[in-house]
Amino acid sequence: MNRLEDLLPTLRKPARYVGGEYNAVMKNKDAVELRVAFCFPDTYEIGMSHLGTRILYGLMNELDFVWCERAFAPWTDMETMLRTERLPLWALESGDPLSAFDVLAFTLQYELSYTNVLNMLDLGGLPIRAADRDDAAPLVIAGGPCAFNPEPMADFIDLFVIGEGEEVTAELMDLFRARRRHGWSKAETLRRAVLLEGVYAPSLYAVSYREDGAVAAVAAQPGAPARVTKRIVRDLDSVYFPVKPLVPNTEVVHDRIMLELFRGCIRGCRFCQAGFTTRPVRTRSVETLVRQGLTSLAATGYEEISLTSLSTSDYRPLEGLCDALLGECQKRRVGLSLPSLRADSFSRALMERVQSVRKSGLTFAPEAGSARLRDVINKNLTEEDLMRACGTAFEGGWNHVKLYFMCGLPTETDEDLAGIADLAHKVYALGRATAGRARGVGVTVSTACFVPKPHTPFQWEAQDSVAVFAEKQAFLRARLRKQITFRWHAADTSFLEGALARGDRRVGAAVEAAWRSGCRLDGWSECFSSEAWHKAFASCGLSLAFYAARTRAEDEVLPWAHISASVDNAHLWRERTRAYAGTASPNCREHCLGCGASRLLAGGVCDG
Amino acid sequence: MDNLVSPGVHTPDDARAEPAVRRKMRLLFEKTGPARLISHLDLMRTLQRAFARAELPLAFSEGFNPHPYLSIARPLSVGVESRYELLDFGLADAVDPDALPACLNCVLPAGVRVRRAYPASEGRKSFVDIAWAGYEIRLAWGRSAAHAADGLRALFAGGPLPVLKKSKRGEQTIDIAPLIRLFALTPEEEGLLCMDAVLAAGAASLNPSYVLEAIRRHAPALWPDRQSVLRVSLLDADGTLFV
Ligand code: SF4
């Protein structure tokens, strides 16, 4: 490590490569039976902000026979240094190379991190393809939202975990310990692993294709389930939660305590993958959350608690929870933040609770510019709701409101796009009228490109091409007055995201080709090359458009057909039909649409 | 590890109680190992959180955007280790200074260690009176260092040492010799020399990296394979230890 000590200070943000943070778990490597490296395939600042990483790191380290460490994707200067000095990528706690571990556990949070997985395996000194890693190599497992379509990564990962990780991770750790004790081969281990619910081993499934390029069938080997159903945690009050999270020594994106109020979402917005894959709703009690919040404060010294969930304001006792936390928060000068509030529930009462300590910017997400299109996507938000919420915010002293939209939604027309501008102007005018001339009012319109995702009612849709996205951006920009700040997500990265999200197993070769041609850190605009990706797909006889911009027939076998989020395809298709009819659907609390997710609950009835 | 501080640390808030802003304290701490890579701003946040974990309430400024009073003397560049870091801060409660190091040390990250704490109010000088800083600059070669010792002594014997200095205004050649108060060379082991250097750290100041830069520029043949810098002291104008 001597030469390394000289070189580290010359890198950008070197503190992210050495560990030593408060609450990092150090164990004696000779005293544990299983060494796991939790690998986050993006930078330290992103990975350390992720609640799931905190949960699984803490959960695995609670097991006395496991030592779980962390590894992150190196920034380009670090990668260059590792390659020139011929040093392997190491885990932060022990400094040992990734090849020294029994298990590498990746989390796949977004498709644009796929090349980072390959890069980390390679820098760790391991063959990137699962088939090339022998019995002595670490077992490479992966989970996270992208595992709901694992196929593009199937060639590289030995085993996927579908759904929520807490329970199945503990079961897998037991299995891997048994592997070590009995000396099972990798093949034997995988055969046993798929007997656990929610575990998918791609090598036990064969994919065949039709002449037109679509998937013909996915056949499971004997002993492997024909369909792998996701895991959920039924009782959030008894499941492990990290109340002593790591406190980074260098600033990360979400540098705060995160409390998770509930999982799932009652809303059923038709574009939202998480809204379907995390069903049904399960709630934590106020009592548990207050206890977790106060313990975490004492153990970290953080100055902010964030109440997270897909739609925080759907937590029934939200005001009570805020009140229960506020006393201690004020005493310690700790701020409370609620990142995902629905505009129709943003009340004065709630506002006063969030702002009592600190004032941050407010974001509302109408998602679409017209009432018609909001019905298509089932957003169930009226213009009056939005105006009332913004009015409350301006009256309450907020000066800046950010509005979040999606562009390229199914059935979208120029009128819908013009509606985005109209809404922004109305909010701006309201701000000026409420705040008066004394205060500067700011409205930001932030527009993302719609990416159709597996396991949603829009999983069959064609995504807009990059050219169409560009036209729509120009159209909207021309309509927005200069007082409105306009932010736009790059269309070419969204298009790649679209291709990877609905890719089949052949896309793995394109991911490898892209990585070999130098693609990595694709989520970072300074590193992303659209051209390199198109070349990589072409070199494998594939095209991005086939996966991103093609409408699928109802009876097409989708590449993820053998992975079940426990929401029936029939329900998704019904929702798609209603979308095209412009009909909104009731939320789970108003009326159960029988999506199928309730099967995962003991009583078979969702709380909503 | 128990993150909570033992209740014995707080002294009763009795007649000695004084307004929050006047409980100024000074901390002497080390920043070594992985902590040498923590930047100045990150270190401030790290310390602030450690105080919170130790349940030692910092005094906050008044006003619209209250912030704690924390000040580190002569912040170091990333990568430089230190055995002599000073932090001035204000506490909202009266605290026994002798109990502070122990209760902070159990909540600090690897490489940050408090050596002493003392009230900063009783006639202590303020950071503006710091004039010099002492460093141990270690140079290592893969082979014997005998050839380098004499050359380095000659280089730092007191003659002019022009070095290119980068600042916000651009580059400028300056003579660093007047900014070096003391220079001594000790062979430590085969291939390893330790330079004890006392460098200006007042209104004019000299980053230890310029001492290395002088070697690179004027005696490239003596350039070591590896080098490390450790700050060992802060001194006032007459060269006595600044505490
Ligand atoms: S089963 Fe009904 S209530 Fe439960 S998630 Fe599905 S639609 Fe909602």
Side-chain angles (χ1 to χ4, degrees), chain A residues 10 13 29 41 110 133 178 181 229 267 474 525 562 570:
Chain A
T10 66
K13 303 188 194 162
K29 61 183 169 191
Y110 27 82
R133 290 191 299 266
R181 287 182 176 174
T229 302
R267 298 287 165 175
S525 55
H562 53 302

Side-chain angles (χ1 to χ4, degrees), chain A residues 279-280 588 592-598 606:
Chain A
R279 288 178 172 216
C588 290
C592 168
L593 293 170
C595 75
S598 60
C606 296

